[in-house]
Amino acid sequence: MTGNIHSVETCGTLDGPGLRYVIFLQGCQLRCKYCHNPDTWDFNGGKQFTPEEVIEDILKYKSFIKSGGVTFSGGEPLLQAEFVKEVLKQCRKYGIHTAIDTSGSVPLSLCAGALDEVDLVLLDIKHIDTDMCKTLTGMGNENTIKMLDYLEKKKKDVWIRHVIVPGFSEEYVVLEKMADFLSRYTVIRKIELLPFHKMGEYKWKSLGFDYELLNTKEPTKESINRIKNIFKKYNFNVV
């Protein structure tokens, strides 16, 4: 068995608690308009590694990530769920905390085994309205909600991630509905609100892709604070 890996970050601080070894897997079926890693979309990119090769490299950094752990990101890591599951098992063997950063777009029938092995899921809800989700990403949110239901059943810790894109996901009434909907879940430990940015725009240009959000402005601090307060009303830990 091998996994197709785009790149590795050995001292990541943005993808889970503490200092983390972050594995970016190659391949994604979504086409998010704001994606800052479109170079991970192609399933044929990246390099092949075995689970044994990956864990061997992770262990070199074990002393550095002892207060953090390992995070699988992408691309969409759960498109390579069996590979991810094998590395997760090895991490558990060595007492290393694990996380998966996922859009939840992969059907549970293909990835439940990996979810069963992980400690924390960073679940990126693109939009609470499935039609708007499809507009933003090319795919609805049905699988994402099913994944959240599964994680609730399995009592797996979840951090919800949500990118605030003016014109798409900055509608306060809809965000209120999202906060209300999420309040029924007991496994959500944190809400991460991620302001839209254009730092990946140059990648779109270099790949010859049409960047539709060229004229979209970043959300203001005042807007982000207003959205934070919406979620805080429902007693969420919001950052």
Side-chain angles (χ1 to χ4, degrees):
M1 178 190 297
T2 59
N4 201 2
I5 294 177
H6 173 272
S7 57
V8 168
E9 184 179 359
T10 56
C11 295
T13 59
L14 302 175
D15 299 286
L19 197 63
R20 306 189 73 81
Y21 184 105
V22 186
I23 304 167
F24 297 91
L25 279 83
Q26 189 75 29
C28 187
Q29 80 276 46
L30 298 185
R31 292 296 180 265
C32 300
K33 294 182 185 296
Y34 54 80
C35 181
H36 57 274
N37 286 323
D39 47 325
T40 65
W41 290 351
D42 185 0
F43 289 91
N44 297 315
K47 295 182 179 180
Q48 299 290 322
F49 294 89
T50 66
E52 293 75 20
E53 288 171 328
V54 172
I55 197 67
E56 181 181 358
D57 196 56
I58 289 171
L59 292 176
K60 295 176 184 176
Y61 299 90
K62 189 179 179 184
S63 61
F64 295 98
I65 62 173
K66 60 184 178 181
S67 63
V70 171
T71 298
F72 289 89
S73 188
E76 173 48 66
L78 290 177
L79 288 172
Q80 301 184 59
E82 288 303 311
F83 171 78
V84 170
K85 183 174 78 170
E86 289 306 311
V87 181
L88 289 172
K89 285 182 177 180
Q90 290 299 312
C91 287
R92 185 178 299 279
K93 175 182 173 182
Y94 289 101
I96 299 171
H97 181 273
T98 57
I100 295 175
D101 180 7
T102 176
S103 67
S105 58
V106 177
L108 284 170
S109 59
L110 302 177
C111 67
L115 295 174
D116 291 344
E117 294 292 336
V118 78
D119 297 308
L120 169 68
V121 176
L122 313 178
L123 186 61
D124 187 356
I125 296 181
K126 309 293 185 177
H127 204 290
I128 198 62
D129 178 88
T130 193
D131 292 329
M132 280 300 297
C133 187
K134 190 171 184 178
T135 297
L136 260 178
T137 72
M139 190 173 178
N141 67 11
E142 292 85 357
N143 285 341
T144 304
I145 302 306
K146 288 178 182 178
M147 184 173 292
L148 182 55
D149 289 340
Y150 183 80
L151 296 170
E152 175 76 12
K153 178 182 176 182
K154 292 291 183 175
K155 302 301 178 187
K156 294 285 183 179
D157 286 350
V158 175
W159 291 7
I160 296 295
R161 290 182 148 182
H162 188 59
V163 180
I164 305 301
V165 186
F168 291 94
S169 57
E170 198 186 23
E171 194 173 346
Y172 304 122
V173 173
V174 176
L175 289 162
E176 182 90 36
K177 291 179 180 178
M178 178 178 175
D180 180 58
F181 174 80
L182 294 177
S183 67
R184 72 188 68 177
Y185 295 92
T186 64
V187 293
I188 298 174
R189 304 289 174 246
K190 183 184 291 188
I191 304 286
E192 288 190 315
L193 298 174
L194 308 175
F196 162 73
H197 62 73
K198 297 183 181 180
M199 287 187 283
E201 180 183 339
Y202 74 96
K203 293 184 180 179
W204 287 69
K205 291 181 179 179
S206 66
L207 292 167
F209 297 155
D210 181 24
Y211 189 68
E212 295 181 29
L213 303 184
L214 189 64
N215 296 317
T216 301
K217 295 182 178 180
E218 297 179 1
T220 64
K221 289 183 179 180
E222 291 76 15
S223 180
I224 294 298
N225 286 333
R226 180 176 175 179
I227 295 167
K228 285 183 178 180
N229 287 332
I230 290 173
F231 284 91
K232 286 178 180 178
K233 281 197 307 181
Y234 292 84
N235 298 315
F236 284 117
N237 174 22
V238 187
V239 297

